[in-house]
Amino acid sequence: MSYFKQHLFICTNKREEGSCCAGLGAENARHYLKKRCKELGIHGKGLVRINNAGCLDRCEQGPVLVIYPEETWYTYIDRDDLDEIITRHLQQGQIVERLKL
């Protein structure tokens, strides 16, 4: 059995040139995801883990995050999108098709 039920990796990579997730507010998004999941009681051992990641090699589709074990890749614009990923994917087990890469 896995240590976590789900593991969310959010790209926070910063590039000197060109588009990057860090330049699109990814660090703030990571802090929000982690805070919100803790508030909801779904963060921690046996539940959800939120981690930053270096480049996930999808810069042109950024900002991006991926959730395992489902191997589901998402993009997002704002906190409403992040809330929808938390509610629908992490809590209800449904893919958020409109944000899926």
Side-chain angles (χ1 to χ4, degrees):
M1 175 181 243
S2 177
Y3 191 77
F4 299 106
K5 180 181 175 189
Q6 293 166 304
H7 209 144
L8 185 151
F9 294 93
I10 182 166
C11 179
T12 57
N13 191 56
K14 182 175 182 175
R15 292 179 182 238
E16 296 299 320
E17 297 180 16
S19 180
C20 66
C21 293
L24 297 170
E27 191 61 40
N28 288 334
R30 185 186 74 82
H31 287 296
Y32 178 75
L33 284 164
K34 198 167 193 172
K35 176 181 168 267
R36 190 70 187 119
C37 286
K38 285 180 180 181
E39 290 171 351
L40 293 168
I42 63 170
H43 184 271
K45 183 179 177 183
L47 302 169
V48 175
R49 172 76 180 183
I50 309 292
N51 276 101
N52 63 316
C55 185
L56 293 173
D57 202 25
R58 301 239 174 142
C59 302
E60 69 282 352
Q61 296 171 305
V64 298
L65 62 87
V66 60
I67 302 173
Y68 289 101
E70 297 90 344
E71 301 178 18
T72 306
W73 291 78
Y74 290 113
T75 189
Y76 57 90
I77 300 295
D78 53 26
R79 286 187 176 182
D80 289 339
D81 290 345
L82 296 173
D83 284 333
E84 188 171 358
I85 291 168
I86 291 168
T87 301
R88 293 191 51 219
H89 190 120
L90 298 178
Q91 292 184 299
Q92 299 172 355
Q94 301 170 0
I95 303 298
V96 184
E97 292 295 335
R98 72 177 191 84
L99 299 175
K100 187 177 171 191
L101 294 181

